[in-house]
Amino acid sequence: MVTKKYASLAQIQLLISQEKTSCSELAEYYLSQNKKNKHLNAMLEVFDNEVLSQAALIDQKIKAGTAGKLAGMFLAIKDNICYKGHRVSASSKILENFKSTYTATALKRLLEEDAIVIGRCNCDEFAMGASNENSAFGHVKNAADETKVPGGSSGGSAVAVQADLCLVALGSDTGGSIRQPASFTGTIGLKPTYGRISRSGLLAYASSFDQIGPITSSVEDAALLLEIMAGKDELDATSSSNKVAPLFIDKSKKYKIAYSKEALESEGLELSVKSAYLELIKNLENDGHDVVEQSFPFLEQMVPCYYVMTTAEASSNLSRYSGMLYGTRSEQAKDIESTFKKSRSEGFGKEVKRRIMTGTFVLSADFYEAYYSKAQRVRKLIQQESNKILENFDFFLCPTTPSTAFDIDGEKSKDPIQMYLADIFTVQASLAGLPAISVPTAIHEGLPIGMHLMGRSFEENDLLNMANIILTYDS
Ligand code: GLN
């Protein structure tokens, strides 16, 4: 495991205030970490010169007493988040040379508080995947074991935090893309409530699911990032004006926790993950929390429902990349039809094509009722049943993923259905629009294991407090 030089922004800011370090020195450190770890392929681009000049500028602001709340924070962003004047490719060939013309609202808010963006992170193409192997720019290695995947789709973001290439990173989560890689890399990954953070400037995959969120090493940093990114944005009609209360840390607070019976009995659950799950349940009980087994009988329906809904939305969202207005135009384009056909055939990878075709199929007139409409009804049911559990409990607990990080280019990578099942525990919160967090609780044969907590709508603070309590347990 890589030990991080700095545990949190609070620690960095303390050192800065004691003049034991400066933003310029931190910039040198993180840039050298990036150079040393290039082979992990976590970053598609590092903004070297810019990072140095911004650090110098923020050092001046600190001296003048005008620095923002995030002065000293070095942030990496997933390559599907727009940053004006910088490239954003969603790890796809079709957008390889595309530059953002504006900055995502969430990122803009962080920049206004003086966060520094160190670079953009590799990910699965258009955020579709669970292993980061679908990137057009090569796979990412897990720093805990370089023969293993880092998870996906925010695999680069997770490894950037894991390998200390930055302090914190932004990912996006549609069905688990922040939480699953967090679990595989021993980091903390938070998917906020749907609507909590503006999606303006996030390249869309499935708009009724997508959320930007933080990947961090400390609960405090996750809370801080959430607080600053959250809130109403007139550029995203689904963003909520619900206020985020500042993080409260109360280690003595006792919670009511339901843990998933089906997860425990699930055939695909690896033994090491099962042991970590049981261990956490025991620790929570010993700590005085009210822990109860709870059945949620839709485990088998969730992955199919998720894939029908998200591929449908993706087929519509990705239609803009045609070589006309957006997307690299094929050199073989001669007329409108060949522009569309050639540009899309050459520009998209295999998995993205599979999903566009699946999505087009489930939305087609003959099959709309059988698939899309039905999936919508199942989604409603999952939402209702999830909320029902959370009327009686503060959290719903299960493992984040059924296994630890798997082999790069291994069995799973050859079978899309197997890969889709990596999302079995994370898609519930996505379908229901609820907040959820992955917390590292154990390590098995050098590989991290994360546990997953889902909470009530807009109650991320309790999730973060619970995560903080869990991190105090011995593993
Ligand atoms: N693995 C899931 C998928 O491929 C989740 C992706 C995501 O959350 N962006 O759809």
Side-chain angles (χ1 to χ4, degrees), residues 10 98 386:
F98 182 78
S386 300

Side-chain angles (χ1 to χ4, degrees), residues 257-263 292-296 389 392-393 396:
I257 304 161
Y259 68 89
S260 163
K261 175 174 185 285
E262 284 73 17
V292 179
E293 185 176 81
Q294 172 73 42
S295 172
F296 185 79
I389 294 177
N392 299 320
F393 295 93
F396 187 62

Side-chain angles (χ1 to χ4, degrees), residues 127-130 153 173-177 205 306-307 355 423:
M128 297 173 185
S153 62
D173 193 309
T174 304
S177 274
Y205 159 15
Y306 168 81
Y307 276 94
R355 296 204 190 187
D423 305 324

Side-chain angles (χ1 to χ4, degrees), residues 288-344:
H289 301 281
D290 190 359
V291 191
V292 179
E293 185 176 81
Q294 172 73 42
S295 172
F296 185 79
F298 303 101
L299 201 62
E300 282 185 7
Q301 283 73 32
M302 283 194 289
V303 169
C305 175
Y306 168 81
Y307 276 94
V308 170
M309 299 283 317
T310 54
T311 54
E313 293 188 26
S315 72
S316 159
N317 275 328
L318 270 62
S319 64
R320 75 192 67 170
Y321 307 109
S322 60
M324 295 301 284
L325 255 181
Y326 292 106
T328 309
R329 184 172 300 176
S330 164
E331 283 176 5
Q332 295 181 54
K334 288 191 214 76
D335 47 25
I336 287 197
E337 198 176 321
S338 63
T339 302
F340 273 63
K341 275 193 181 159
K342 296 284 180 195
S343 306
R344 289 164 76 77

Side-chain angles (χ1 to χ4, degrees), residues 78 80 124-131 134 152-154 172-181 191 205-206 209-211 306-307 310-311 351 355 419-423 426-427 430:
K78 185 173 179 178
N80 61 356
D124 281 304
E125 186 177 1
F126 284 103
M128 297 173 185
S131 67
N134 296 337
S153 62
S154 316
S172 70
D173 193 309
T174 304
S177 274
I178 288 176
R179 295 160 283 157
Q180 188 252 15
K191 181 197 91 76
Y205 159 15
F209 293 75
D210 299 341
Q211 273 293 286
Y306 168 81
Y307 276 94
T310 54
T311 54
E351 183 60 27
R355 296 204 190 187
M419 192 66 89
Y420 296 170
L421 287 173
D423 305 324
T426 47
V427 292
S430 308

Side-chain angles (χ1 to χ4, degrees), residues 122-420:
N122 205 342
C123 59
D124 281 304
E125 186 177 1
F126 284 103
M128 297 173 185
S131 67
N132 221 121
E133 291 166 299
N134 296 337
S135 166
F137 307 114
H139 61 252
V140 175
K141 292 176 178 165
N142 191 320
D145 176 344
E146 294 181 11
T147 66
K148 305 287 180 190
V149 303
S153 62
S154 316
S157 302
V159 171
V161 175
Q162 176 194 33
D164 216 12
L165 313 183
C166 56
L167 179 70
V168 293
L170 295 186
S172 70
D173 193 309
T174 304
S177 274
I178 288 176
R179 295 160 283 157
Q180 188 252 15
S183 172
F184 280 5
T185 55
T187 53
I188 298 166
L190 173 71
K191 181 197 91 76
T193 310
Y194 183 76
R196 181 55 110 181
I197 293 176
S198 168
R199 288 178 293 109
S200 172
L202 170 69
L203 302 192
Y205 159 15
S207 310
S208 76
F209 293 75
D210 299 341
Q211 273 293 286
I212 293 175
I215 298 179
T216 62
S217 312
S218 76
V219 166
E220 288 86 344
D221 286 347
L224 193 60
L225 286 167
L226 176 75
E227 192 188 328
I228 294 172
M229 288 191 286
K232 188 74 195 159
D233 173 20
E234 60 183 28
L235 299 174
D236 173 5
T238 63
S239 64
S240 160
S241 52
N242 237 310
K243 288 262 168 307
V244 191
L247 173 70
F248 70 92
I249 296 279
D250 180 359
K251 292 204 173 123
S252 64
K253 188 162 176 185
K254 300 301 168 209
Y255 288 105
K256 284 187 79 173
I257 304 161
Y259 68 89
S260 163
K261 175 174 185 285
E262 284 73 17
L264 196 60
E265 292 166 357
S266 155
E267 261 177 48
L269 192 66
E270 259 178 26
L271 216 61
S272 60
V273 180
K274 189 172 178 172
S275 313
Y277 185 32
L278 290 169
E279 176 80 14
L280 177 60
I281 292 168
K282 196 180 78 204
N283 282 336
L284 289 165
E285 281 167 350
N286 291 343
D287 195 19
H289 301 281
D290 190 359
V291 191
V292 179
E293 185 176 81
Q294 172 73 42
S295 172
F296 185 79
F298 303 101
L299 201 62
E300 282 185 7
Q301 283 73 32
M302 283 194 289
V303 169
C305 175
Y306 168 81
Y307 276 94
V308 170
M309 299 283 317
T310 54
T311 54
E313 293 188 26
S315 72
S316 159
N317 275 328
L318 270 62
S319 64
R320 75 192 67 170
Y321 307 109
S322 60
M324 295 301 284
L325 255 181
Y326 292 106
T328 309
R329 184 172 300 176
S330 164
E331 283 176 5
Q332 295 181 54
K334 288 191 214 76
D335 47 25
I336 287 197
E337 198 176 321
S338 63
T339 302
F340 273 63
K341 275 193 181 159
K342 296 284 180 195
S343 306
R344 289 164 76 77
S345 300
E346 290 167 18
F348 287 135
K350 199 160 127 200
E351 183 60 27
V352 172
K353 284 180 188 155
R354 177 166 25 239
R355 296 204 190 187
I356 292 174
M357 286 191 285
T358 310
T360 308
F361 174 79
V362 299
L363 287 175
S364 61
D366 286 351
F367 298 97
Y368 187 89
E369 260 310 305
Y371 293 101
Y372 187 69
S373 265
K374 196 165 173 186
Q376 273 183 314
R377 291 195 296 277
V378 174
R379 183 179 194 183
K380 192 95 221 143
L381 200 68
I382 289 167
Q383 277 168 344
Q384 282 164 353
E385 292 302 311
S386 300
N387 284 317
K388 222 186 255 168
I389 294 177
L390 294 167
E391 279 170 18
N392 299 320
F393 295 93
D394 297 304
F395 311 114
F396 187 62
L397 170 72
C398 62
T400 307
T401 61
S403 72
T404 51
F406 41 86
D407 290 342
I408 292 172
D409 215 7
E411 283 312 301
K412 256 202 186 80
S413 318
K414 296 183 187 100
D415 180 355
I417 304 286
Q418 276 307 311
M419 192 66 89
Y420 296 170

